[in-house]
Amino acid sequence: MLNVLVTDMSRDVSLRVTGDVHIGGVMLKLVEKLDVKKDWSDHALWWEKKKTWLLKTHWTLDKYGVQADAKLMYTPQHKVLRLQLPNMKSVKVKVNFSDRVFKAVSDILLVLIMFYLTCLSLGSIYSSPGLYSKTMTPTYDSRDGSPLSPTSAWFGDSPLSEGNPSVLAVSQPVTSPDILAQLFKPQTLLDKAKTNKGWMDSSRSLMEQDVKDNEALLLRFKYYSFFDLNPKYDAVRINQLFEQAKWAILLEEIECTEEEMMMFAALQVRNCFCISVVIFLKFGDITSIPELADYIKVFKPKKLTLKGYKQYWCTFKDTSISCYKSKDESHGPPAHQMNLRGCEVTPDVNISGQKFNIKLLIPVAEGMNEIWLRCDNEKQYAQWMAACRLASKGKTMADSSYSLEVQNILSFLKMQHLNPDPQLITDQNSIDINPECLVSPRYLKKYKNKQISARILEAHQNVAQMSLIEAKMRFIQAWQSLPEFGITHFIARFQGSKKDDLIGIAYNRLIRMDSSTGDAIKTWRFSNMKQWNVNWEIKMVTVEFADEVRLSFICGDIDCKVVHEFIGGYIFLSTRAKDQNESLDEDMFFKLTSGWM
């Protein structure tokens, strides 16, 4: 008797079979005994104890070594992954858990290409810290995992165009220091080495490496040789590289000087300005609608009255504005409330006079109710004006056009300045400088926020004329120029040594490092490498160089297969670097770091 668990139904089924029955025959008997009308084409047998899929349906049970005491599972091959992208946004995708990781990642990227009408290449995956709960969940074919619904179903009816860019191509500013506080920050090189033990074996399946259904993984660039970054065609890829670089610097995963940190912060500010001060992107399953809340001066004209504007604490929710006498009273009933659906919105702006008024004509039973709103600055005006215009059409700030509307209003105001000056871009009224979200914690402890803000604004003058894509490219190039760029650390015991050291693998060299100080003990260039091999019995990696130097080491807390892939991968990249016209879609891997947070 062979016992099989059908995972979909949580049902154990016993089958009477002999060892010469092939796997296909076992599945046929199982389906017949279940007698359930269902598409079983995506299901396969999984042997939990041996960590292996029984995919060769022509093999017999004896050939696989399956005995009567074996416990098999009949389970779908395609399962859900919660995938976090380098920009910290999460999506849900169905992946074939029986494919090799290399193939699984390729399929994921194909899904992203179909979804975003664009291309993201060169990735890796590991576990999500759960910063963002909003995910995009398409409908998939149960047999091959391909999306059934069109791309528009992921974003609603908003087209993915230049004016409404995809979530992959748009960088989101860090809005709160609490976000940084939630993330893991490596304190030492050993911490960095420990996180790298999670890189997954590209030659084995997800299921074989204990990845479960609906597990949170992170997609990250694994190799650091980036070819063919064309600003005209690679907006998505450039943005994801920018995001990975930004978080690496903010979390101090890579060292940089004080001056470099201010430059990186200035480029972030430039990025924030280019995409508008506030951006709200629409997701298919958005669970909350953005809101505005601030002190606004409100005026209701009446005949035979000289009363002027009165300041209220105003909240903008859905399509309505609620006015309270103070912020403290906002939990109670409002003093005034107005629904802007169907209203007329008219601007009344004078840049030189710093007048930013919004005229509202709100339909009521008696006709039109006239209300004036006065904002304090351009930023506030752009946000509230954009919200009013959408509300008049019956739309909320959750609509994807909100961010574009804010940006257009700010751009229009900028053109009205009598004396256009690049330094106006850094005016506090148009850009919020929050040092806690722009620099790493080290410098927040060293200086006061005002001092850091002043230095960031000063550095911003050098990048104020850059476009969005230029600022991202400059950020990536500066990241690549850092001394520690592209070095992946592993804990290793070198042959003949009695203690553990660190080995750093960069895109062009191997480095033996002191684990306590991080000092380089010895460096070997890939250009001087003859060959490498692995003794799989003792898990030892051996690398030979042209000058007859042989390097052998064992990685204690990680399978040497991972290190072998890094070395082999970089050799592969250095070879391909000779042909700049080839894309590197092969450079895609998973990383799983369950528990390292």
Side-chain angles (χ1 to χ4, degrees):
M1 297 295 291
L2 182 65
N3 187 57
V4 180
L5 171 64
V6 182
T7 59
D8 292 27
M9 307 169 64
S10 299
R11 177 179 168 185
D12 286 309
V13 179
S14 296
L15 299 174
R16 187 177 294 277
V17 294
T18 58
D20 59 354
V21 176
H22 53 76
I23 299 300
V26 173
M27 292 192 293
L28 180 60
K29 286 178 178 289
L30 178 63
V31 171
E32 289 176 347
K33 190 165 184 177
L34 287 171
D35 194 23
V36 175
K37 289 185 178 180
K38 179 181 173 70
D39 182 2
W40 298 100
S41 58
D42 187 47
H43 285 61
L45 291 171
W46 165 255
W47 193 356
E48 178 67 26
K49 184 177 180 180
K50 297 292 185 179
K51 299 292 182 186
T52 185
W53 287 93
L54 309 183
L55 298 177
K56 297 180 179 179
T57 55
H58 61 284
W59 277 27
T60 64
L61 292 171
D62 285 342
K63 191 167 184 178
Y64 266 117
V66 177
Q67 304 296 322
D69 61 346
K71 293 185 178 181
L72 305 181
M73 291 194 302
Y74 193 51
T75 186
Q77 297 174 70
H78 284 87
K79 301 178 186 294
V80 173
L81 282 182
R82 290 184 291 120
L83 188 66
Q84 188 201 71
L85 307 177
N87 64 353
M88 297 296 177
K89 293 299 179 182
S90 296
V91 295
K92 284 185 179 180
V93 292
K94 270 198 174 181
V95 183
N96 192 331
F97 274 50
S98 66
D99 275 341
R100 294 183 303 117
V101 165
F102 189 92
K103 173 67 164 55
V105 178
S106 298
D107 290 343
I108 287 172
L109 299 182
L110 287 175
V111 171
L112 292 176
I113 291 170
M114 293 173 66
F115 173 34
Y116 298 104
L117 306 180
T118 185
C119 179
L120 170 67
S121 63
L122 306 173
S124 306
I125 296 187
Y126 54 128
S127 69
S128 168
L131 293 182
Y132 296 89
S133 60
K134 300 179 179 64
T135 56
M136 293 163 282
T137 312
T139 303
Y140 285 88
D141 188 293
S142 61
R143 290 170 294 182
D144 59 11
S146 60
L148 291 176
S149 57
T151 301
S152 60
W154 295 53
F155 278 101
D157 57 359
S158 300
L160 299 178
S161 62
E162 184 177 352
N164 181 25
S166 78
V167 68
L168 279 180
V170 176
S171 175
Q172 299 292 302
V174 184
T175 56
S176 170
D178 294 337
I179 294 177
L180 292 173
Q182 295 174 18
L183 296 175
F184 173 78
K185 300 180 184 65
Q187 302 298 317
T188 64
L189 287 174
L190 290 176
D191 288 342
K192 296 179 183 179
K194 289 175 182 176
T195 62
N196 286 321
K197 70 181 181 181
W199 290 106
M200 299 174 71
D201 187 342
S202 64
S203 64
R204 299 166 63 207
S205 71
L206 292 170
M207 201 89 156
E208 291 175 75
Q209 301 181 69
D210 297 320
V211 179
K212 306 300 182 185
D213 187 19
N214 205 37
E215 186 157 352
L217 303 175
L218 308 187
L219 179 68
R220 295 294 184 268
F221 292 86
K222 182 175 185 180
Y223 298 145
Y224 296 95
S225 293
F226 313 124
F227 305 130
D228 304 324
L229 287 180
N230 189 324
K232 186 175 181 180
Y233 303 107
D234 296 332
V236 170
R237 187 164 165 237
I238 290 170
N239 182 62
Q240 295 300 316
L241 282 170
F242 165 75
E243 286 287 343
Q244 185 161 328
K246 179 181 76 176
W247 287 102
I249 290 167
L250 289 177
L251 297 175
E252 299 180 354
E253 294 175 3
I254 185 169
E255 296 288 338
C256 65
T257 66
E258 190 173 305
E259 290 73 18
E260 289 167 339
M261 179 61 72
M262 300 307 151
M263 175 198 63
F264 285 124
L267 289 168
Q268 289 184 66
V269 171
R270 183 60 190 159
N271 174 76
C272 294
F273 179 81
C274 287
I275 63 173
S276 176
V277 178
V278 178
I279 290 184
F280 295 115
L281 292 174
K282 179 178 178 181
F283 293 93
D285 63 341
I286 190 164
T287 57
S288 62
I289 297 176
E291 302 173 359
L292 290 175
D294 209 342
Y295 279 105
I296 299 289
K297 295 181 178 67
V298 181
F299 174 53
K300 185 176 182 180
K302 292 183 180 180
K303 292 182 179 180
L304 303 176
T305 180
L306 297 176
K307 291 183 179 180
Y309 287 88
K310 185 176 180 180
Q311 183 169 273
Y312 288 91
W313 175 260
C314 297
T315 62
F316 204 132
K317 299 180 181 180
D318 295 320
T319 59
S320 298
I321 297 177
S322 299
C323 304
Y324 303 88
K325 292 183 178 179
S326 67
K327 184 177 181 180
D328 295 335
E329 297 182 14
S330 61
H331 299 292
H336 305 284
Q337 191 170 37
M338 39 197 156
N339 192 314
L340 273 57
R341 187 184 295 268
C343 77
E344 295 181 14
V345 184
T346 306
D348 181 22
V349 176
N350 186 308
I351 298 295
S352 59
Q354 288 294 291
K355 182 175 72 172
F356 305 100
N357 293 343
I358 303 172
K359 178 183 178 182
L360 303 173
L361 291 177
I362 304 171
V364 292
E366 298 78 21
M368 301 296 282
N369 198 2
E370 184 176 350
I371 301 291
W372 290 72
L373 307 179
R374 170 165 288 183
C375 300
D376 292 331
N377 52 59
E378 294 182 16
K379 170 192 166 183
Q380 188 185 61
Y381 169 79
Q383 293 173 338
W384 286 77
M385 186 63 176
C388 289
R389 286 177 175 173
L390 286 177
S392 69
K393 303 173 184 177
K395 298 181 179 181
T396 71
M397 287 175 281
D399 191 88
S400 58
S401 62
Y402 176 71
S403 60
L404 180 61
E405 185 69 25
V406 174
Q407 183 178 357
N408 289 340
I409 293 171
L410 287 172
S411 299
F412 183 72
L413 294 176
K414 179 185 174 184
M415 289 189 294
Q416 297 182 60
H417 286 280
L418 296 178
N419 297 307
D421 187 341
Q423 293 187 0
L424 289 174
I425 298 174
T426 61
D427 189 280
Q428 288 284 1
N429 289 335
S430 59
I431 300 180
D432 281 336
I433 300 296
N434 186 355
E436 295 176 314
C437 298
L438 296 171
V439 301
S440 65
R442 176 184 309 175
Y443 298 104
L444 293 174
K445 297 176 182 178
K446 189 175 181 181
Y447 298 102
K448 295 180 179 179
N449 282 6
K450 288 185 178 180
Q451 293 175 307
I452 299 176
S453 296
R455 294 192 60 182
I456 293 174
L457 290 173
E458 182 181 354
H460 184 262
Q461 302 308 310
N462 298 322
V463 301
Q465 296 302 305
M466 290 184 183
S467 67
L468 174 62
I469 199 73
E470 288 173 336
K472 290 178 181 178
M473 286 293 290
R474 181 67 62 86
F475 197 103
I476 294 171
Q477 292 163 0
W479 176 45
Q480 290 177 296
S481 300
L482 298 178
E484 292 185 3
F485 168 78
I487 301 177
T488 305
H489 301 87
F490 299 98
I491 299 174
R493 176 71 61 89
F494 287 84
Q495 191 173 36
S497 177
K498 296 183 180 180
K499 67 180 185 70
D500 288 339
D501 287 309
L502 285 176
I503 184 168
I505 304 178
Y507 71 96
N508 59 354
R509 66 196 187 281
L510 291 174
I511 312 165
R512 182 176 180 178
M513 310 171 73
D514 186 282
S515 59
S516 57
T517 65
D519 294 338
I521 300 174
K522 179 68 175 178
T523 299
W524 299 271
R525 296 281 172 178
F526 284 154
S527 59
N528 201 31
M529 183 185 293
K530 292 173 59 179
Q531 65 178 3
W532 76 93
N533 60 73
V534 179
N535 184 330
W536 297 108
E537 293 184 4
I538 60 175
K539 304 293 185 180
M540 177 174 285
V541 180
T542 299
V543 187
E544 296 185 16
F545 295 90
D547 54 4
E548 300 183 359
V549 175
R550 175 176 292 184
L551 172 67
S552 298
F553 58 89
I554 296 174
C555 291
D557 61 346
I558 186 174
D559 195 309
C560 64
K561 171 64 176 176
V562 174
V563 179
H564 177 259
E565 284 181 347
F566 265 89
I567 297 174
Y570 280 122
I571 292 299
F572 165 77
L573 287 173
S574 64
T575 302
R576 292 287 295 275
K578 298 175 182 177
D579 188 349
Q580 295 290 311
N581 295 320
E582 295 190 52
S583 63
L584 294 175
D585 291 337
E586 295 89 341
D587 186 15
M588 301 174 293
F589 292 90
F590 276 89
K591 184 181 180 185
L592 171 68
T593 56
S594 297
W596 71 277
M597 299 302 293

